[in-house]
Amino acid sequence: LTGNKAGQHFDGGYSERATCQAEWLVPLPTTLTAEQSMVIGTAGMTAMMCVLHLERAGELRPSHGPVLVTGAAGGLGQIAVALLSARGFEVVASTGRAEQQEAHLRRLGAAEVVGRLEPPSGPLGKQRWAGVVDSVGGTTLASAITQTMYRGAVASTGVAGGGDLSATVFPFILRGVRLLGVDSTLPWNVDGYPADKERWRGWRDERRLLWELLAESLSPEALSLVHSDTIGLADVPDYAPKILKGGIAGRVLVDVGGVRS
C-alpha cells in the first residue's frame, strides 16, 4: 500500500493493518522482502517515478551526460542515486553534508559528490546536467534548471529548501529544458482527483511497473546502505525532529509492533 493519500487524507500511516480499497494494493515483487519494501517506501517509489519520467518524458539516456541528484543524502535522494547508477547513468550527488556523506554516496553509485548548488546568477548558467532529480525545490531547483543541458529534463518532487520557484522561461524556450512534476499519489477513486476509470487503471499499472523496476534495479547491498536505522513506534516523536533538522541520512524503518533495535 503506497500513495492514494494513505496516512495523509486517510488514517493508518503507522498502523499494522488498515482497511482500504482493494485497487490501492499491488503485489510485492517476489524478490523483495516486506522489510525491504518498507525501506523503499513512498520515497523510493517516488525516486523511481523521477527516473522513469526522465527516461520517458525527458528522453534521457546514459550517453547524454551526467545526472544531478539534489538532496542526495536524504531517503529519496539516496535511492535515486542507487537507481540511476544501476541503470547506467553517471550520477553527481549534491548535498549540504558532502564531507560527511561522500564515501557513503559513492558506495551507492555516485561518480561525484558536490555541495549545495549556489543560487542562480542569471537566467542561463553553464550547461552541466543532462537530467536532474530534485527533492529540494527553492533556489536549488532554480539553479538546476539554469544549468540543465539543451533538451535535458528536470524531475521536481520536493520542497525541503522551500516551495517558491524564482525562475525565467529562458531555459525552456532557448534550451528546450523540460520541467517534470512528480507526484506519487496515483489515485484510484480518491476525492479531488480525476474520476476517469481508464486513468485509474493506467495509474495502477504504473504503480505495478514502478515496483517491478525497483526490485530489478535495487540490489540488496544498496537497500542495506539506504537503511539508516530501525526504530519502534514509541521512538518516532524523538526521531522526527532529527529528520526535520537533517540529522538523519537515509531511511528509518518503523517497526510498529516492536522496539528500537
Side-chain angles (χ1 to χ4, degrees):
L1 170 59
T2 49
N4 287 288
K5 297 300 180 184
Q8 293 174 279
H9 294 183
F10 307 99
D11 292 338
Y14 285 115
S15 62
E16 290 184 89
R17 302 182 183 211
T19 301
C20 67
Q21 297 181 57
E23 293 82 2
W24 291 6
L25 305 175
V26 295
L28 181 68
T30 56
T31 55
L32 291 176
T33 66
E35 180 181 53
Q36 288 173 329
S37 75
M38 288 298 94
V39 170
I40 294 169
T42 298
M45 197 185 77
T46 307
M48 189 70 248
M49 288 185 75
C50 289
V51 174
L52 200 60
H53 276 47
L54 290 175
E55 291 178 341
R56 289 184 169 182
E59 302 175 309
L60 182 65
R61 301 293 181 268
S63 61
H64 295 179
V67 180
L68 176 72
V69 177
T70 68
L76 187 152
Q78 289 194 30
I79 294 176
V81 168
L83 286 170
L84 287 162
S85 176
R87 297 174 78 79
F89 292 95
E90 177 188 350
V91 185
V92 178
S94 170
T95 172
R97 295 173 278 174
E99 186 175 341
Q100 303 97 308
Q101 295 296 323
E102 180 171 6
H104 176 72
L105 290 168
R106 286 186 180 277
R107 284 195 294 272
L108 283 169
E112 184 180 356
V113 179
V114 300
R116 293 190 180 99
L117 299 188
E118 295 294 328
S121 57
L124 294 172
K126 181 180 179 181
Q127 298 184 53
R128 302 178 65 187
W129 322 116
V132 179
V133 173
D134 176 64
S135 63
V136 178
T139 58
T140 296
L141 174 58
S143 293
I145 291 170
T146 68
Q147 297 173 6
T148 300
M149 296 177 184
Y150 181 78
R151 294 282 287 182
V154 179
S156 169
T157 190
V159 293
D164 294 334
L165 177 59
S166 179
T168 73
V169 300
F170 294 114
F172 310 121
I173 66 173
L174 297 181
R175 291 181 177 168
V177 172
R178 283 157 282 190
L179 179 59
L180 309 171
V182 180
D183 166 72
S184 63
T185 301
L186 296 176
W188 180 290
N189 192 25
V190 177
D191 288 345
Y193 290 88
D196 183 340
K197 287 189 175 181
E198 188 62 32
R199 299 189 77 185
W200 294 353
R201 283 188 282 271
W203 290 329
R204 183 179 59 183
D205 291 344
E206 182 179 350
R207 189 186 304 281
R208 286 174 174 160
L209 173 63
L210 291 166
W211 278 102
E212 290 169 2
L213 291 173
L214 284 161
E216 172 189 299
S217 302
L218 289 175
S219 68
E221 293 76 19
L223 286 172
S224 179
L225 286 170
V226 169
H227 183 189
S228 172
D229 201 357
T230 298
I231 64 174
L233 184 60
D235 299 306
V236 170
D238 290 333
Y239 255 72
K242 298 176 185 177
I243 293 172
L244 291 173
K245 291 178 181 178
I248 304 294
R251 299 280 291 161
V252 176
L253 185 66
V254 179
D255 182 358
V256 178
V259 297
R260 181 176 175 180
S261 61

